Amino acid sequence: MEFDRKDPACIPEANALSAWICKPLWESFNAFMAEVYHAVPIYAFSKCSWEYGWNIKYKYKGKNLCTIYPYKGYFRVLLVISQREKLRFEQAMDTFCADIRQLYLETKESNGQRWLIVDVEDEDQRFHDVKRIIALRA
């Protein structure tokens, strides 16, 4: 059975999810999270109107590092830059790719946080920057 991210009865399995996303990058990302943060994917179904469907959370020492939204052919990463992380992020801002810098500047701050949503399609600079932002959050 093919994975259906909008079906609450279609509980994700690692192999089916990898096949659905169709990217070795997904497996690379999972391996990175397991190796560096010992983070195990936590599958959750959200009924939120913003992003209805299955998502995957990665936690480290009880803190949510990121949330993944799987799509056919790519995945979307939600990274929350809190007030506590803001200064470190802004100090490193010039080292991030133009896409990440622009996304950060265009994202409105709410309650001292910025919610950055990054589409990961290739092993490009955005992908490496996502891993750096996760490190900053950890």
Side-chain angles (χ1 to χ4, degrees):
M1 179 168 98
E2 184 175 281
F3 174 68
D4 179 357
R5 76 176 295 272
K6 303 264 184 204
D7 181 357
C10 186
I11 300 169
E13 294 177 3
N15 290 339
L17 195 56
S18 280
W20 192 70
I21 293 173
C22 294
K23 291 287 182 179
L25 201 52
W26 172 247
E27 292 173 7
S28 170
F29 182 80
N30 278 309
F32 165 78
M33 294 302 288
E35 187 177 306
V36 176
Y37 301 105
H38 309 287
V40 176
I42 301 167
Y43 300 102
F45 191 85
S46 173
K47 294 183 179 178
C48 173
S49 62
W50 177 78
E51 195 68 57
Y52 182 88
W54 286 100
N55 62 58
I56 302 103
K57 296 182 185 332
Y58 289 92
K59 294 186 177 198
Y60 178 67
K61 296 184 179 180
K63 179 180 181 173
N64 190 34
L65 293 177
C66 66
T67 303
I68 306 297
Y69 299 93
Y71 285 88
K72 187 78 172 160
Y74 71 101
F75 57 98
R76 190 169 272 171
V77 183
L78 170 62
L79 300 157
V80 179
I81 307 297
S82 70
Q83 189 67 35
R84 189 183 69 201
E85 298 147 351
K86 180 180 177 178
L87 180 61
R88 286 182 300 192
F89 182 91
E90 289 178 353
Q91 287 173 337
M93 181 99 87
D94 290 342
T95 67
F96 293 115
C97 70
D99 289 352
I100 297 293
R101 290 193 311 264
Q102 181 178 355
L103 177 63
Y104 181 80
L105 294 172
E106 291 176 354
T107 301
K108 292 184 180 174
E109 193 169 304
S110 177
N111 295 327
Q113 299 178 330
R114 291 185 199 219
W115 290 33
L116 307 182
I117 300 163
V118 182
D119 288 347
V120 175
E121 301 174 64
D122 297 299
E123 191 166 350
D124 57 8
Q125 190 59 45
R126 269 186 310 177
F127 176 67
H128 295 291
D129 285 350
V130 162
K131 293 195 300 188
R132 291 178 52 224
I133 293 168
I134 290 170
L136 188 142
R137 288 187 43 73

